Amino acid sequence: MEYISPEGLRLDGRRPMEMRQLHAELGVIAKADGSATFEMGNTKVVAAVYGPREVQNRSQQLQEQALVRCEYSMATFSTGERRKRGKGDRRSTEISLVIRQTMESAILTHLLPRSQIDIFVQVLQADGGTRSACINAAALALADAGIPMRDLVASCAAGFLNNTPLLDLNYTEDSGGGPDVTVGVFPKLDKISLLQMDSKLPIDLFEKVLELATEGAKATAEYMRERLSENTRQLVSARGLLRF
Amino acid sequence: MVASHPKAGAEDNRGAAAMLQSKSFVKKTRQGRLLKIVREHYLRDDIACGAVYCSICDKSTACLSDTTSPILIVDTNVVLQQIDLLENLAMSNVVILSVVLDEAKNKNLSVYNRLRTICSNPTRHFFVFANEHHKDTYIKGMVGESPNDRNDRAIRVASQWYQRHLGGSTKILLLTNDAENRKKAREEGIIAETVQAYVQALGKPELLDLVARSQVENVFKHDVEDLRPSKRKVVYAEHKAMSEITSGLRQKIYHQGKFRVNRYNPFEAYVGSESVGDEIVIKGKTDMNRAFDGDVVAVELLPQECWQDGSGKIVEDDDEEEEEVVGLVPASADDAPKNQALEGMSEKSISIGIARPTGRVIGIIKRNWRPYCGSLEPMPLPAGGGGTVHALFVAADRRIPKIRIQTRQLSNLLDKRIIVAVDSWEQTSRYPSGHYVRSIGEIGDRATESEVLLIENDINTRPFSEQVLACLPPLPWSMSAEDLRNPYRRDLRHVRVFSVDPIGCKDIDDALNCTLLPNGNFQVAVHIADVTNFVHPNTPLDEEASQRGTSVYLVERRIDMLPKPLTEDICSLRADVERLAFSVLWEMSPDADILSVEFTKSIIKSCAALSYVEAQARMDDSRLSDPLTLDLRNMNKLAKIMRRRRIESGALTLASPEVKFEIDTETHDPLDVGMYQVREANQMIEEFMLAANVSVAGHILKHFPMCSLLRRHPIPTPKMFEPLLRTAAAVGIHLDISSSKALADSLDEAQGDDPYFNKLIRILATRCMTQAVYFCSGELSPPEFHHYGLAAPLYTHFTSPIRRYADVIVHRLLAASLGLNKLPDLLRDKSLLTSISDNLNYRHRNAQMAGRASVELHTLIFFRNRPTEAEARIVKIRSNGLIVFVPKYGIEGPVYLTKKGTKEETELVSDIDGKWIIDEEHQTLLSQDGKRRYKVLERLSIYIQVVEPQPNRPKLELTLMKAC
Amino acid sequence: MVGLSAAERVYIEDGIAQDLRLDGRGRQHFRSLSIQTGVIPQANGSARVRLAGTDVIASVKAELGSPQPGRPGCGNMFISVECSPTAAPEFEGKGGEDTNLELAKALQRNFLGGASGAGAAIDLTTLIVIEGKVCWELYIDGLVLSSDGNILDALSIAVKAALSNTGIPKVQVMGGLSLEEADFELSDNPEEFSHLDTAQVPVTVTISKVGRYHIVDATAEEESQVSSAVSVAVNSKGLICGLTKSGTAGLDPSILMDMISVGKRVGLKTISSVETDIAAAERTLEAE
């Protein structure tokens, strides 16, 4: 299957190093402390943050830091084929764990001891790169909630098909059987917070793909920062009026 | 490395929202569920037009440089139908739009691949323009517009864009054969032409021949064959629409399968169908309904009353009657004619007369057309030559029907071998229509005929590319210190190693040694050229070899799988040079019992490269007693014991009538032809090669039970033995076919009055055999691994990596099992290995067929101007003649006792009126007056000569001289 | 939900009694409504409805299936609802199951009609492909993203909008020798879609009783004070398609009838504005 034409165009017309169109919005859920939607191409995700608040389950309360919890769920209509998903299935659990760990490393939890921060991520449409979109949405939601963080977390995925590293795979390219490297970075600190890979890749190629994914994540971080600044500007100018 | 994202248009303003489009369509999955697929479609502003002289666009990929000739834009149908024209070097400066490329890919993958090859060649000046992603040339389908119309409109929009963009510098020309498209294009200000008009305007008449006829022009007013109005009616039934076929397949009223034409009777075909569970017989042109060999067709079964058995009579037009030809003796069931029509068969005959499912073709699901080699049917030149005439093309492959083409160079082509491609086959036309592609050379010319048989057997004769040759180590090569230091490579240079091969053999891939050990046992070893040390996986050299699969041996030349420096020098185990090898070492008792076996890579230095004749002479000469001769004799003794043991366990010794040509060194014409002599020395080497292959097979299977490459020989079915049993019974011999051992034993007992009798029976037995094939061990169960002919539970090919790619794979497997190398990824995957073995089987079969065809060709050349008398043996009887086998020359063919079609006797026989009486049970032919009788396996004296019943169609003919 | 103080509770009740609610609305006013259709391109039909702080998405997926044995001439419709934890932490894990079921059941009652298939929101006989053998099955999924009261009404509007947005691929029936062998083919062309007739699709209006008065479209805070509520599904002809009573307190029959008539009146007004909004949303979608 030809994923890149000899002219250097992918199936959707992008070049190998181009990301899909990004779109983010803040404050979409009224009742949440912080919320954001994040779209990467046709992948649409909404994240809501409730917290910091009192710990619901006393036994889980941590004395020195905040308790970060995360739940990931996919809507039944999010994939091409309608599939009813149970809440406890393995993929959801794994991604929930991944998001939680990534966010926890970003949040300055020692500033909010004995409290609980809940992050809920809901996938509305899945077209490849769901994990990255969820992390980005969660990061924006946390920023919207005003929770103190070390740095933003930005995430992007890259793969390797037809002998070329590809940035930001969509669902068709993801199903191509090639490797899939997801990376989450702290852009200002220039540190990698999340690294996952599927399938097999020789070491030297892995470095190239990792570099590409990191660049993509940094570009995403730029965009996120832009949106956050714009959002703040809007809030400042709308001060005094009702939120909605 | 810059990772940027496309300018985010959607959030800015409505106008720029156009940069990201979305395509959606509904698909039905295999489970019957519905899937709505939504895809992003990005539009770009950085797609170049491809012209070197353009001032705006990026020129890094530009290749259109000629401003004098127009830029041609072709539509999809032109690509699909006129690919031969596009491949011609006269076509240049062409823009292929991505919408055209995608449509071609969906409709015909081989045309797409050919187009891509042209486009990737910078000297052809073909540019691929991604119109679907260019922001100015992308269009959305309008409501009510069919996808085809939308694509046509896209082509026109792109042409218009080119007009605006480059119109000032060059002329833009749209080539399309669709009148509607041309009209609309002209209305929109684009210059559009048909392909015909353009080629004519070029002023190169030879190109016009390449122009395929569009279906509109298929109305023949000057039909060569039929002007009678009654014949211009619909000849064939209409093919049903695809939707009807799919629903019919689901309801099981139609059946799908591959159409296989009987090689010996082009008007009979078989469609293997899973849903019917048996092969469906298709008889006659009408029922075959324009299907070609290899097509995937849909078949409707006829009512049961009409079912026929495979060997029933065929009712056909007179001028289509097929005759048997004189050719090489069949070496297996695949070569032998299938279910021949035995005319005048009585009901009491022992035939396979169960009616088999018979049907007719009602639609073609996938066409398997390819360019065919052959020549034009002789016809008188039209008066006032130079105009376009219709001619009939007869393909070399007898399974292909005649093809009607148009040509302006009839006089030039009549005596040539040419290549023709098929365009279409209409209901109203008796023959398919095609067009001429190119000439190969004169008919009968040895080089031309050799090329034809190579093309027909899909054999790659192109010289090795630069990239392949770059993989070879530099010459002169000699062993390096590194090789010596390698702990896995045993130094066996001190061992007395020798090789025995045919005279003049330069690619020596095996050498042996037989050393007497102090304890009275022998250390016997087989050393095979270490090809995999030089051919590494995933290199161009390896890929080329994998594709070729095997070396092809024609009579006068050899087409190598690997480049000569490797085959004849670096890998070849020549005498007196140090060479790298892969060795199998046995310790054997004097009774040839294998006490231990070892596999290792090694360094050897052969002390002698003997020929079979030399080796045999040494062994026979009792005066000689030098160490080498003693080794040979010891080996021979062991070999004889091993052979006897094999035969006792059921190995078959069949006689294969291999024929050898003596070629004139200057003209390369055959000087003499004779049966290949098999000496003891041949059998000795063969024995150890077999033993090596068996040992290696066992070892690799133990380590890689799921992905070993092995070789099996399926047991022939009782049906396949029928002709042999019938013939043997007629002469009073009973053959037991219950097992290979039983057959071997009864073959031994089959002795007749003359010494050749037994050999003859063995030759007849050979043609009942199936073909041995390669397979992946993970795909079959152990009982199926059996090799019938060798009576071996396991077998593989290890001993000839220079000329067979299967051996290269087995070398890699063995090296991996010894821990010397990592097993390449390709070999870890069961399904990949199966597809590799399928390719190897295909290549092997083709090489065999090419080899046979080459021998047949040289036989013909030999007998040209050299008619000969020879002794023959009757192997089959017919109502109008006999099939005889000529041992001296290894050929077989018909001897007619009645003149074809007239039922009169031939001249050489006394003129007795009337038919011949056939006796099936005793396999005899009796003349009406009872005076003459011919029985199967009897001797006959015949006359071999080359005749030319039609100009430029020489063929061998056997005629009767007198009975002895 | 953060608890309300006693003062707040009194404030709410008294305000309602005086026809002046927390956000300034009258008792029978709906909050501002915004409808967007075609938000989920992968579904056959979808809509997103924002009723102030309440945000719901409904999607319709059409699949091929076989009709139920009792009704060979009707297609099938299935409704399910999921409350995303983004709406409230309570919906995390299995916490939302009860609410999901309750909402789904209420919608089913309003939209699905009787056991014979009669009285459904859309004419189920239009969903049949081959009588007795193949029919379309509509799977309607509601997702609650954000909740600020009155989820049921928002969901019903979303479902109505999604159904209007739904496009079913055109099917060509090819006759076989008999009914058993008849087969069909699907048109791949995305342009060829047939739309559903949603004229009969109702809209639910929930009337909640606070103190002695009833309000329409309660916010989350108001809902905490509601003793009992009646949800009435009304279609454009003013016919009542479904009725659900929720809440623990008992209702006097006369008050019940009162609430129902209020519901009908408000419903009719709402439905006409909803239909206008849906049409406008569809038009904006086409223009893109």
PDB file of all heavy atoms in Angstrom, chain C residues 21 25-33 51 150 153-154 157 203-206 216-217 266-267 269-270:
ATOM      1  N   ARG C  21     -37.020  34.139  38.253  1.00  0.00           N
ATOM      2  CA  ARG C  21     -36.052  33.113  38.665  1.00  0.00           C
ATOM      3  C   ARG C  21     -34.659  33.714  38.797  1.00  0.00           C
ATOM      4  O   ARG C  21     -34.430  34.876  38.537  1.00  0.00           O
ATOM      5  CB  ARG C  21     -36.055  31.980  37.657  1.00  0.00           C
ATOM      6  CG  ARG C  21     -37.389  31.225  37.684  1.00  0.00           C
ATOM      7  CD  ARG C  21     -37.720  30.571  36.376  1.00  0.00           C
ATOM      8  NE  ARG C  21     -36.916  29.378  36.159  1.00  0.00           N
ATOM      9  CZ  ARG C  21     -37.137  28.535  35.147  1.00  0.00           C
ATOM     10  NH1 ARG C  21     -38.115  28.785  34.301  1.00  0.00           N
ATOM     11  NH2 ARG C  21     -36.390  27.481  34.982  1.00  0.00           N
ATOM     12  N   ARG C  25     -35.433  34.774  34.346  1.00  0.00           N
ATOM     13  CA  ARG C  25     -36.468  34.254  33.468  1.00  0.00           C
ATOM     14  C   ARG C  25     -37.818  34.197  34.168  1.00  0.00           C
ATOM     15  O   ARG C  25     -37.897  34.216  35.392  1.00  0.00           O
ATOM     16  CB  ARG C  25     -36.122  32.841  33.023  1.00  0.00           C
ATOM     17  CG  ARG C  25     -35.052  32.725  31.953  1.00  0.00           C
ATOM     18  CD  ARG C  25     -34.865  31.284  31.543  1.00  0.00           C
ATOM     19  NE  ARG C  25     -34.216  30.496  32.565  1.00  0.00           N
ATOM     20  CZ  ARG C  25     -34.384  29.189  32.675  1.00  0.00           C
ATOM     21  NH1 ARG C  25     -35.195  28.543  31.862  1.00  0.00           N
ATOM     22  NH2 ARG C  25     -33.755  28.539  33.633  1.00  0.00           N
ATOM     23  N   GLY C  26     -38.869  34.072  33.362  1.00  0.00           N
ATOM     24  CA  GLY C  26     -40.187  33.776  33.910  1.00  0.00           C
ATOM     25  C   GLY C  26     -40.299  32.291  34.114  1.00  0.00           C
ATOM     26  O   GLY C  26     -39.414  31.526  33.756  1.00  0.00           O
ATOM     27  N   ARG C  27     -41.418  31.864  34.691  1.00  0.00           N
ATOM     28  CA  ARG C  27     -41.531  30.454  34.999  1.00  0.00           C
ATOM     29  C   ARG C  27     -41.568  29.582  33.762  1.00  0.00           C
ATOM     30  O   ARG C  27     -41.147  28.440  33.764  1.00  0.00           O
ATOM     31  CB  ARG C  27     -42.773  30.179  35.848  1.00  0.00           C
ATOM     32  CG  ARG C  27     -42.635  30.599  37.290  1.00  0.00           C
ATOM     33  CD  ARG C  27     -43.729  29.956  38.083  1.00  0.00           C
ATOM     34  NE  ARG C  27     -45.034  30.540  37.733  1.00  0.00           N
ATOM     35  CZ  ARG C  27     -45.593  31.530  38.429  1.00  0.00           C
ATOM     36  NH1 ARG C  27     -44.974  32.043  39.471  1.00  0.00           N
ATOM     37  NH2 ARG C  27     -46.788  32.011  38.075  1.00  0.00           N
ATOM     38  N   GLN C  28     -42.128  30.156  32.681  1.00  0.00           N
ATOM     39  CA  GLN C  28     -42.310  29.314  31.502  1.00  0.00           C
ATOM     40  C   GLN C  28     -41.392  29.673  30.349  1.00  0.00           C
ATOM     41  O   GLN C  28     -41.689  29.443  29.184  1.00  0.00           O
ATOM     42  CB  GLN C  28     -43.768  29.378  31.056  1.00  0.00           C
ATOM     43  CG  GLN C  28     -44.649  28.768  32.125  1.00  0.00           C
ATOM     44  CD  GLN C  28     -46.093  28.817  31.739  1.00  0.00           C
ATOM     45  OE1 GLN C  28     -46.433  29.233  30.620  1.00  0.00           O
ATOM     46  NE2 GLN C  28     -46.968  28.428  32.649  1.00  0.00           N
ATOM     47  N   HIS C  29     -40.233  30.218  30.711  1.00  0.00           N
ATOM     48  CA  HIS C  29     -39.289  30.548  29.657  1.00  0.00           C
ATOM     49  C   HIS C  29     -38.172  29.538  29.576  1.00  0.00           C
ATOM     50  O   HIS C  29     -37.639  29.090  30.598  1.00  0.00           O
ATOM     51  CB  HIS C  29     -38.655  31.930  29.914  1.00  0.00           C
ATOM     52  CG  HIS C  29     -39.601  33.014  29.597  1.00  0.00           C
ATOM     53  ND1 HIS C  29     -39.604  34.200  30.286  1.00  0.00           N
ATOM     54  CD2 HIS C  29     -40.568  33.115  28.666  1.00  0.00           C
ATOM     55  CE1 HIS C  29     -40.538  34.975  29.788  1.00  0.00           C
ATOM     56  NE2 HIS C  29     -41.145  34.340  28.812  1.00  0.00           N
ATOM     57  N   PHE C  30     -37.837  29.232  28.353  1.00  0.00           N
ATOM     58  CA  PHE C  30     -36.686  28.377  28.104  1.00  0.00           C
ATOM     59  C   PHE C  30     -35.428  29.234  28.045  1.00  0.00           C
ATOM     60  O   PHE C  30     -35.503  30.405  27.667  1.00  0.00           O
ATOM     61  CB  PHE C  30     -36.831  27.678  26.742  1.00  0.00           C
ATOM     62  CG  PHE C  30     -37.165  26.223  26.854  1.00  0.00           C
ATOM     63  CD1 PHE C  30     -38.481  25.819  27.039  1.00  0.00           C
ATOM     64  CD2 PHE C  30     -36.175  25.271  26.787  1.00  0.00           C
ATOM     65  CE1 PHE C  30     -38.776  24.462  27.139  1.00  0.00           C
ATOM     66  CE2 PHE C  30     -36.479  23.920  26.898  1.00  0.00           C
ATOM     67  CZ  PHE C  30     -37.802  23.514  27.076  1.00  0.00           C
ATOM     68  N   ARG C  31     -34.322  28.676  28.390  1.00  0.00           N
ATOM     69  CA  ARG C  31     -33.064  29.388  28.217  1.00  0.00           C
ATOM     70  C   ARG C  31     -32.728  29.451  26.736  1.00  0.00           C
ATOM     71  O   ARG C  31     -33.367  28.786  25.918  1.00  0.00           O
ATOM     72  CB  ARG C  31     -31.926  28.694  28.955  1.00  0.00           C
ATOM     73  CG  ARG C  31     -31.980  28.866  30.465  1.00  0.00           C
ATOM     74  CD  ARG C  31     -30.954  28.020  31.165  1.00  0.00           C
ATOM     75  NE  ARG C  31     -31.325  26.609  31.159  1.00  0.00           N
ATOM     76  CZ  ARG C  31     -30.607  25.670  31.774  1.00  0.00           C
ATOM     77  NH1 ARG C  31     -29.478  25.988  32.393  1.00  0.00           N
ATOM     78  NH2 ARG C  31     -31.004  24.410  31.755  1.00  0.00           N
ATOM     79  N   SER C  32     -31.706  30.225  26.412  1.00  0.00           N
ATOM     80  CA  SER C  32     -31.376  30.342  24.986  1.00  0.00           C
ATOM     81  C   SER C  32     -30.782  29.036  24.495  1.00  0.00           C
ATOM     82  O   SER C  32     -30.012  28.365  25.169  1.00  0.00           O
ATOM     83  CB  SER C  32     -30.381  31.484  24.776  1.00  0.00           C
ATOM     84  OG  SER C  32     -29.131  31.129  25.342  1.00  0.00           O
ATOM     85  N   LEU C  33     -31.192  28.710  23.301  1.00  0.00           N
ATOM     86  CA  LEU C  33     -30.885  27.422  22.717  1.00  0.00           C
ATOM     87  C   LEU C  33     -29.961  27.614  21.517  1.00  0.00           C
ATOM     88  O   LEU C  33     -30.175  28.507  20.715  1.00  0.00           O
ATOM     89  CB  LEU C  33     -32.211  26.823  22.214  1.00  0.00           C
ATOM     90  CG  LEU C  33     -32.297  25.381  21.850  1.00  0.00           C
ATOM     91  CD1 LEU C  33     -31.978  24.534  23.036  1.00  0.00           C
ATOM     92  CD2 LEU C  33     -33.709  25.092  21.379  1.00  0.00           C
ATOM     93  N   LEU C  51     -27.921  24.297  25.768  1.00  0.00           N
ATOM     94  CA  LEU C  51     -29.016  24.975  26.464  1.00  0.00           C
ATOM     95  C   LEU C  51     -28.358  25.667  27.634  1.00  0.00           C
ATOM     96  O   LEU C  51     -28.311  25.147  28.748  1.00  0.00           O
ATOM     97  CB  LEU C  51     -30.020  23.910  26.937  1.00  0.00           C
ATOM     98  CG  LEU C  51     -31.408  24.362  27.340  1.00  0.00           C
ATOM     99  CD1 LEU C  51     -32.078  25.119  26.217  1.00  0.00           C
ATOM    100  CD2 LEU C  51     -32.238  23.138  27.693  1.00  0.00           C
ATOM    101  N   ASN C 150     -31.897  20.089  33.275  1.00  0.00           N
ATOM    102  CA  ASN C 150     -32.783  19.868  32.133  1.00  0.00           C
ATOM    103  C   ASN C 150     -32.101  19.088  31.005  1.00  0.00           C
ATOM    104  O   ASN C 150     -32.196  19.434  29.834  1.00  0.00           O
ATOM    105  CB  ASN C 150     -33.289  21.216  31.588  1.00  0.00           C
ATOM    106  CG  ASN C 150     -34.617  21.025  30.905  1.00  0.00           C
ATOM    107  OD1 ASN C 150     -35.255  19.982  31.016  1.00  0.00           O
ATOM    108  ND2 ASN C 150     -35.043  22.039  30.192  1.00  0.00           N
ATOM    109  N   ASP C 153     -34.623  17.431  28.231  1.00  0.00           N
ATOM    110  CA  ASP C 153     -35.142  18.271  27.150  1.00  0.00           C
ATOM    111  C   ASP C 153     -34.077  18.530  26.100  1.00  0.00           C
ATOM    112  O   ASP C 153     -34.329  18.437  24.893  1.00  0.00           O
ATOM    113  CB  ASP C 153     -35.616  19.623  27.721  1.00  0.00           C
ATOM    114  CG  ASP C 153     -36.813  19.453  28.627  1.00  0.00           C
ATOM    115  OD1 ASP C 153     -37.225  18.296  28.841  1.00  0.00           O
ATOM    116  OD2 ASP C 153     -37.327  20.477  29.124  1.00  0.00           O
ATOM    117  N   ALA C 154     -32.873  18.835  26.602  1.00  0.00           N
ATOM    118  CA  ALA C 154     -31.780  19.096  25.647  1.00  0.00           C
ATOM    119  C   ALA C 154     -31.539  17.874  24.783  1.00  0.00           C
ATOM    120  O   ALA C 154     -31.360  17.965  23.567  1.00  0.00           O
ATOM    121  CB  ALA C 154     -30.518  19.470  26.409  1.00  0.00           C
ATOM    122  N   ILE C 157     -34.175  17.474  22.092  1.00  0.00           N
ATOM    123  CA  ILE C 157     -33.978  18.399  20.966  1.00  0.00           C
ATOM    124  C   ILE C 157     -32.816  17.933  20.107  1.00  0.00           C
ATOM    125  O   ILE C 157     -32.872  17.953  18.871  1.00  0.00           O
ATOM    126  CB  ILE C 157     -33.719  19.828  21.491  1.00  0.00           C
ATOM    127  CG1 ILE C 157     -34.942  20.326  22.259  1.00  0.00           C
ATOM    128  CG2 ILE C 157     -33.396  20.766  20.351  1.00  0.00           C
ATOM    129  CD1 ILE C 157     -34.725  21.639  22.960  1.00  0.00           C
ATOM    130  N   VAL C 203     -40.782  16.860  20.947  1.00  0.00           N
ATOM    131  CA  VAL C 203     -39.787  17.520  21.792  1.00  0.00           C
ATOM    132  C   VAL C 203     -40.281  17.384  23.216  1.00  0.00           C
ATOM    133  O   VAL C 203     -41.472  17.494  23.486  1.00  0.00           O
ATOM    134  CB  VAL C 203     -39.656  19.009  21.388  1.00  0.00           C
ATOM    135  CG1 VAL C 203     -39.218  19.858  22.553  1.00  0.00           C
ATOM    136  CG2 VAL C 203     -38.689  19.152  20.239  1.00  0.00           C
ATOM    137  N   THR C 204     -39.358  17.106  24.112  1.00  0.00           N
ATOM    138  CA  THR C 204     -39.777  16.901  25.504  1.00  0.00           C
ATOM    139  C   THR C 204     -39.677  18.202  26.275  1.00  0.00           C
ATOM    140  O   THR C 204     -38.706  18.954  26.131  1.00  0.00           O
ATOM    141  CB  THR C 204     -38.863  15.865  26.174  1.00  0.00           C
ATOM    142  OG1 THR C 204     -38.759  14.729  25.311  1.00  0.00           O
ATOM    143  CG2 THR C 204     -39.425  15.423  27.506  1.00  0.00           C
ATOM    144  N   VAL C 205     -40.666  18.455  27.074  1.00  0.00           N
ATOM    145  CA  VAL C 205     -40.617  19.623  27.967  1.00  0.00           C
ATOM    146  C   VAL C 205     -40.814  19.104  29.376  1.00  0.00           C
ATOM    147  O   VAL C 205     -41.763  18.362  29.651  1.00  0.00           O
ATOM    148  CB  VAL C 205     -41.729  20.635  27.625  1.00  0.00           C
ATOM    149  CG1 VAL C 205     -41.722  21.774  28.624  1.00  0.00           C
ATOM    150  CG2 VAL C 205     -41.539  21.144  26.217  1.00  0.00           C
ATOM    151  N   THR C 206     -39.877  19.455  30.220  1.00  0.00           N
ATOM    152  CA  THR C 206     -39.980  19.002  31.614  1.00  0.00           C
ATOM    153  C   THR C 206     -40.513  20.132  32.468  1.00  0.00           C
ATOM    154  O   THR C 206     -39.951  21.234  32.491  1.00  0.00           O
ATOM    155  CB  THR C 206     -38.588  18.576  32.128  1.00  0.00           C
ATOM    156  OG1 THR C 206     -38.051  17.598  31.243  1.00  0.00           O
ATOM    157  CG2 THR C 206     -38.693  17.998  33.528  1.00  0.00           C
ATOM    158  N   VAL C 216     -40.481  25.678  33.970  1.00  0.00           N
ATOM    159  CA  VAL C 216     -39.999  24.939  32.790  1.00  0.00           C
ATOM    160  C   VAL C 216     -38.492  25.168  32.680  1.00  0.00           C
ATOM    161  O   VAL C 216     -37.992  26.221  33.010  1.00  0.00           O
ATOM    162  CB  VAL C 216     -40.722  25.506  31.528  1.00  0.00           C
ATOM    163  CG1 VAL C 216     -39.895  25.297  30.288  1.00  0.00           C
ATOM    164  CG2 VAL C 216     -42.072  24.844  31.371  1.00  0.00           C
ATOM    165  N   ASP C 217     -37.776  24.148  32.227  1.00  0.00           N
ATOM    166  CA  ASP C 217     -36.326  24.278  32.010  1.00  0.00           C
ATOM    167  C   ASP C 217     -35.589  24.714  33.283  1.00  0.00           C
ATOM    168  O   ASP C 217     -35.089  25.824  33.402  1.00  0.00           O
ATOM    169  CB  ASP C 217     -36.050  25.268  30.860  1.00  0.00           C
ATOM    170  CG  ASP C 217     -34.573  25.277  30.445  1.00  0.00           C
ATOM    171  OD1 ASP C 217     -33.872  24.301  30.753  1.00  0.00           O
ATOM    172  OD2 ASP C 217     -34.129  26.269  29.837  1.00  0.00           O
ATOM    173  N   VAL C 266     -46.042  25.204  26.083  1.00  0.00           N
ATOM    174  CA  VAL C 266     -44.618  25.537  25.926  1.00  0.00           C
ATOM    175  C   VAL C 266     -43.992  24.672  24.843  1.00  0.00           C
ATOM    176  O   VAL C 266     -43.184  25.123  24.032  1.00  0.00           O
ATOM    177  CB  VAL C 266     -43.869  25.342  27.266  1.00  0.00           C
ATOM    178  CG1 VAL C 266     -42.388  25.605  27.074  1.00  0.00           C
ATOM    179  CG2 VAL C 266     -44.449  26.246  28.329  1.00  0.00           C
ATOM    180  N   GLY C 267     -44.428  23.420  24.852  1.00  0.00           N
ATOM    181  CA  GLY C 267     -43.875  22.497  23.878  1.00  0.00           C
ATOM    182  C   GLY C 267     -44.103  22.952  22.447  1.00  0.00           C
ATOM    183  O   GLY C 267     -43.197  22.966  21.631  1.00  0.00           O
ATOM    184  N   LYS C 269     -44.660  25.904  21.361  1.00  0.00           N
ATOM    185  CA  LYS C 269     -43.842  27.081  21.047  1.00  0.00           C
ATOM    186  C   LYS C 269     -42.396  26.664  20.803  1.00  0.00           C
ATOM    187  O   LYS C 269     -41.750  27.067  19.854  1.00  0.00           O
ATOM    188  CB  LYS C 269     -43.908  28.055  22.236  1.00  0.00           C
ATOM    189  CG  LYS C 269     -43.744  29.483  21.826  1.00  0.00           C
ATOM    190  CD  LYS C 269     -44.113  30.495  22.884  1.00  0.00           C
ATOM    191  CE  LYS C 269     -43.881  30.033  24.300  1.00  0.00           C
ATOM    192  NZ  LYS C 269     -43.389  31.036  25.194  1.00  0.00           N
ATOM    193  N   THR C 270     -41.924  25.816  21.696  1.00  0.00           N
ATOM    194  CA  THR C 270     -40.526  25.390  21.577  1.00  0.00           C
ATOM    195  C   THR C 270     -40.281  24.651  20.278  1.00  0.00           C
ATOM    196  O   THR C 270     -39.284  24.865  19.595  1.00  0.00           O
ATOM    197  CB  THR C 270     -40.156  24.473  22.757  1.00  0.00           C
ATOM    198  OG1 THR C 270     -40.677  25.019  23.961  1.00  0.00           O
ATOM    199  CG2 THR C 270     -38.662  24.301  22.867  1.00  0.00           C
TER     200      THR C 270
END
